[in-house]
Amino acid sequence: MKKLLIACAAAFAATSASAYPEKTLTIVVPFAAGGPTDKVARDFAEAVRKPLGNPTIVIDNVAGAGGTLGAAKVAKASPDGYTLLLTHVNMATSPALYRNLQYKPLDDFEYLGLVNEVPMTLVSRPTLPANNYGELVSWVNANKGKINLANAGLGSASHLCGMLLQSVLKADMTPVPYKGTAPAMNDLLGGQVDIMCDQTTNTTGQIEGGKIKAFAVTTTKRLSIPSLAKLPTLDEAGLKGFNVTIWHGVYAPKGTPKAVIDKFNAALKVALKDPTFIKNQEALGAVIVTDARTNSADHKKFVSDEINKWSPIIKANGQYAD
């Protein structure tokens, strides 16, 4: 009898998975509407809809606590594949930033695949007296203890990049946190702060308009974006191994059936080849992931490696989000 029940349950799960999705899908974005991650999620939802059979896909913005509120909501959701999470590098940095995190990134989620990576740029106020990376380093060394380093808030992409930059440069800068990228950029434009390291999605337009100075990109390869193509990488400028991108991945609650995971993963891989999606992401300065990290297992290994990369840096900095 027990074997029969198990067999029936397995058959039911397989049938449900083959019909998936039969109802509305919800993708939780743990940040405010209109932000970089929200834009990625909405573009991705359109791209993945067709290979999934054109279901209704709703974006649910659950902002707060550096993205952990939305992630916690998905971790506790029913593991049926109808509530998913699309988030960025905070999946790897939250364990170190939050000492009382309500979920475990490697234990409480199924990994559905990486979507894109957003490079970052090292920029400054327009009046800063340096015109290339070498001159910037000289200026930094000559002004230790006097430099204001802007970021979009504790745990933000710009905060993380800034921490790593200070660590490798051994530079004495004063972090100036803001409530979001927009006010940080406004003060950089106005000269109230000196330097910022932020995503191309937020800096490219200002660089193209000549409103801020740009010195380098944080990837190990130069970017193909015309306005940024001449910028050196920090790696080639002397910070060997410096590589920071703000990547986005998709997750489901732990226990989601493997057949559902496989079906969504297959749709994700189709979506990443969608010409409109690629065009939209390129316009944001994002690079579509085309390597093995689009696979579930490789995605999880990558996040594990990122946790190991960021945790000592965050702990050495001694700032926590809780």
Side-chain angles (χ1 to χ4, degrees), residues 208-273:
E208 289 175 342
K211 296 179 180 179
I212 57 176
K213 290 186 176 182
F215 300 96
V217 295
T218 64
T219 50
T220 54
K221 293 182 179 179
R222 292 198 180 198
L223 303 183
S224 59
I225 303 169
S227 58
L228 306 181
K230 292 183 179 179
L231 291 178
T233 69
L234 285 171
D235 177 82
E236 70 181 89
L239 301 184
K240 295 301 180 184
F242 196 104
N243 183 26
V244 178
T245 61
I246 303 306
W247 41 266
H248 295 85
V250 188
Y251 309 83
K254 185 70 174 180
T256 299
K258 185 177 184 304
V260 169
I261 294 170
D262 291 345
K263 190 167 186 178
F264 190 91
N265 177 255
L268 177 146
K269 291 176 179 178
V270 173
L272 298 189
K273 296 177 182 178

Side-chain angles (χ1 to χ4, degrees), residues 99-239:
R99 290 164 292 186
N100 298 302
L101 196 63
Q102 300 302 303
Y103 57 88
K104 296 181 179 179
L106 296 177
D107 296 338
D108 295 338
F109 297 92
E110 303 292 351
Y111 285 65
L112 303 182
L114 217 59
V115 173
N116 72 5
E117 293 184 285
V118 181
M120 303 190 77
T121 45
L122 178 59
V123 297
S124 80
R125 56 181 166 85
T127 55
L128 192 134
N131 295 305
N132 56 54
Y133 178 74
E135 291 180 4
L136 177 66
V137 172
S138 296
W139 181 84
V140 167
N141 290 332
N143 290 275
K144 290 183 177 179
K146 303 176 184 178
I147 302 168
N148 291 323
L149 177 66
N151 67 63
L154 195 62
S156 66
S158 50
H159 176 232
L160 296 169
C161 185
M163 276 197 298
L164 185 57
L165 187 68
Q166 287 188 87
S167 175
V168 297
L169 280 179
K170 302 188 184 326
D172 183 12
M173 303 184 198
T174 301
V176 182
Y178 289 82
K179 292 183 178 179
T181 293
M185 180 59 74
N186 284 339
D187 275 7
L188 190 73
L189 289 166
Q192 282 79 31
V193 288
D194 301 309
I195 297 173
M196 183 161 67
C197 182
D198 205 5
Q199 300 176 66
T200 53
T201 49
N202 301 321
T203 63
T204 301
Q206 305 292 356
I207 294 169
E208 289 175 342
K211 296 179 180 179
I212 57 176
K213 290 186 176 182
F215 300 96
V217 295
T218 64
T219 50
T220 54
K221 293 182 179 179
R222 292 198 180 198
L223 303 183
S224 59
I225 303 169
S227 58
L228 306 181
K230 292 183 179 179
L231 291 178
T233 69
L234 285 171
D235 177 82
E236 70 181 89
L239 301 184

